[in-house]
């Protein structure tokens, strides 16, 4: 039986910082301390930053290249694996290739994806997302860690987090400044979380929803007010004292529209028609909910009033 060979996957568009991150991991984070493991960097694109081959030799690391997507196949990868006999692999994946080749197609015997990291240039993220959304999502939607680099004080971190979470909710997000330091300053929210009643406008709904679902503890006991569309189908999926107010949200285009709704317990829930609009003020309690498969925010209404459909039914991650 072949031994497991951990594969660390680095995705992201060209010039987003993959090569730099790999070299920092190897040389600055003591990943290769001791130099006993044979390290293979499998590079699938030629970016602006080049590998320091002589320096890599000092940690028993080598670089192999794959020049086309057609060459990223089981036969060729097996040949490379047999030639270099690596103990660990750093895969610098091409930012224009589909990641299904990594996760859905066979890999050489022993290769085991260990961690997936995606690098994003904060200065070009929105432009790429607006103009090449499908390709961008390909690089991000399975990443366990998304690293925004080249961040400044003007980087809209809250907005970026909402956009990433809309396509990859479990991802851990890291913000890195141009000098390589981690920006761990608090993200500014566009609403007052300390208000007696947190007013959530249509413009802020998507960001509030993602923030509340990701960090529910800071909303525990808070009161919130928003305009919501009722999900309450008469099909037995919900208990009679439960409905789900929410909004349909769009990141960039109609293909990514999704309903962002939160569980709401109310003894009059049965009276609400499916897909009607309500003006709701509710207290948030963090508790176990089977719908979340764990603990999460549950709404307890203070008032639920009929409301008119807004001019624009969609909300946006912007």
């Amino acid at each position: 039986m072949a031994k497991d060979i951990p594969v660390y996957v680095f995705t992201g568009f060209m010039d987003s910082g993959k090569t730099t991150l790999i070299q920092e991991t190897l040389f600055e984070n003591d990943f290769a301390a001791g130099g006993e493991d044979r390290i293979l960097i499998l590079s699938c694109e030629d970016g602006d930053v080049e590998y320091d081959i002589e320096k890599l030799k000092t940690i028993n690391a080598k670089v192999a290249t794959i020049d086309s997507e057609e060459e990223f196949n089981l036969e060729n990868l097996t040949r490379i694996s047999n030639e270099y006999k690596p103990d660990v692999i750093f895969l610098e994946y091409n930012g224009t290739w589909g990641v299904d080749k990594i996760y859905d197609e066979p890999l050489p015997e022993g290769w085991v994806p260990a961690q997936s990291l995606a690098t994003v240039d904060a200065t070009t993220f929105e432009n790429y997302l607006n103009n090449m959304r499908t390709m961008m999502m390909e690089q991000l939607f399975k990443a366990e860690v998304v690293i925004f680099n080249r961040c400044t004080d003007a980087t809209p971190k809250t907005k970026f987090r909402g956009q990433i979470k809309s396509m990859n909710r479990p991802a851990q997000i890291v913000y890195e400044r141009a000098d390589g330091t981690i920006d761990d300053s608090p993200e500014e929210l566009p609403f007052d979380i300390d208000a007696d009643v947190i007013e959530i406008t249509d413009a802020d709904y998507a960001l509030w929803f993602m923030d509340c679902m990701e960090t529910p503890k800071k909303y525990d006991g808070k009161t919130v007010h928003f305009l919501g569309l009722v999900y309450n189908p008469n099909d037995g999926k919900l208990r009679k004292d439960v409905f789900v107010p929410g909004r349909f949200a769009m990141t960039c285009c109609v293909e990514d529209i999704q309903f962002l709704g939160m569980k709401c317990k109310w003894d009059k829930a049965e009276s609400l028609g499916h897909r009607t609009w309500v003006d709701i003020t509710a207290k948030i309690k963090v508790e176990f909910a089977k719908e979340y498969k764990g603990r999460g925010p549950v709404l307890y209404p203070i008032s639920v009033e009929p409301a008119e459909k807004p001019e624009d039914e969609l909300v946006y991650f912007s």
Side-chain angles (χ1 to χ4, degrees):
M1 180 177 179
K3 69 174 183 179
D4 286 348
I5 303 171
V7 180
Y8 293 88
V9 180
F10 294 77
T11 61
F13 269 21
M14 183 177 288
D15 300 328
S16 65
K18 296 190 294 292
T19 303
T20 298
L21 178 60
I22 289 173
Q23 296 195 111
E24 287 177 351
T25 301
L26 290 172
F27 293 114
E28 298 178 19
N29 298 339
D30 295 326
F31 185 94
E36 297 178 0
D37 288 338
R38 291 186 297 270
I39 299 170
L40 175 63
I41 300 171
L42 189 54
S43 178
C44 298
E45 67 180 23
D46 186 16
D48 288 342
V49 178
E50 297 182 354
Y51 287 104
D52 187 333
I53 302 299
E54 293 303 314
K55 190 175 181 181
L56 287 171
K57 289 180 180 178
T58 65
I59 58 171
N60 201 19
K62 296 181 179 180
V63 179
T65 60
I66 293 182
D67 297 322
S68 69
E69 190 170 3
E70 290 71 27
E71 293 178 13
F72 196 91
N73 58 59
L74 179 59
E75 181 180 359
N76 194 39
L77 294 176
T78 300
R79 178 190 63 78
I80 292 172
S81 189
N82 291 336
E83 178 181 348
Y84 289 90
K85 295 180 172 57
D87 296 304
V88 60
I89 296 171
F90 280 51
L91 172 58
E92 181 184 5
Y93 201 64
N94 191 298
T96 64
W97 300 353
V99 297
D100 58 309
K101 286 182 171 289
I102 305 172
Y103 298 106
D104 299 334
E105 297 186 12
L107 293 174
E109 186 178 8
W111 286 29
V112 179
Q115 187 178 33
S116 176
L117 304 95
T119 54
V120 182
D121 183 343
T123 65
T124 60
F125 173 63
E126 290 184 285
N127 183 49
Y128 282 146
L129 195 62
N130 289 333
N131 295 290
M132 292 177 280
R133 176 183 174 279
T134 300
M135 293 174 64
M136 174 63 79
M137 283 190 66
E138 275 282 329
Q139 301 298 309
L140 302 179
F141 83 102
K142 283 197 174 182
E144 296 168 74
V145 182
V146 176
I147 302 170
F148 281 96
N149 53 46
R150 300 161 195 167
C151 293
T152 68
D153 290 339
T155 299
K157 296 191 297 181
T158 301
K159 177 181 178 181
F160 284 3
R161 178 163 63 92
Q163 290 168 325
I164 295 298
K165 292 293 184 177
S166 72
M167 65 180 85
N168 182 356
R169 195 167 295 180
Q172 176 188 352
I173 301 173
V174 177
Y175 305 96
E176 183 181 89
R177 291 183 172 273
D179 61 4
T181 59
I182 301 300
D183 182 356
D184 55 4
S185 58
E187 297 178 28
E188 292 188 10
L189 294 168
F191 44 84
D192 184 1
I193 193 173
D194 294 318
D196 291 339
V197 177
I198 304 172
E199 294 289 343
I200 305 300
T201 66
D202 289 358
D204 298 337
Y205 181 88
L207 288 177
W208 165 73
F209 177 87
M210 288 298 179
D211 193 56
C212 190
M213 294 301 292
E214 183 183 4
T215 56
K217 286 185 179 180
K218 71 183 180 184
Y219 292 94
D220 194 17
K222 302 282 187 178
T223 300
V224 65
H225 170 244
F226 62 92
L227 177 68
L229 178 65
V230 172
Y231 174 81
N232 194 21
N234 186 23
D235 58 6
K237 290 183 178 180
L238 297 178
R239 287 173 26 182
K240 292 183 178 181
D241 62 344
V242 170
F243 74 100
V244 180
R247 298 295 294 268
F248 280 100
M250 183 170 75
T251 302
C252 293
C253 52
V254 294
E255 287 83 0
D256 66 21
I257 293 176
Q258 57 183 307
F259 185 70
L260 305 181
M262 200 170 290
K263 182 177 182 178
C264 184
K265 290 184 178 180
W266 192 43
D267 57 4
K268 300 178 183 178
E270 197 174 11
S271 67
L272 295 176
H274 183 52
R275 297 188 68 88
T276 57
W277 289 88
V278 293
D279 184 282
I280 180 170
T281 301
K283 178 160 287 193
I284 300 171
K285 294 183 181 180
V286 177
E287 59 189 38
F288 178 84
K290 65 179 182 179
E291 293 84 357
Y292 302 147
K293 298 180 180 178
R295 292 176 63 80
V298 177
L299 300 174
Y300 284 83
I302 296 171
S303 68
V304 179
E305 301 294 337
E308 295 293 325
K309 180 176 71 174
E311 184 175 340
D312 189 350
E313 296 185 47
L314 291 175
V315 295
Y316 303 87
F317 288 94
S318 59

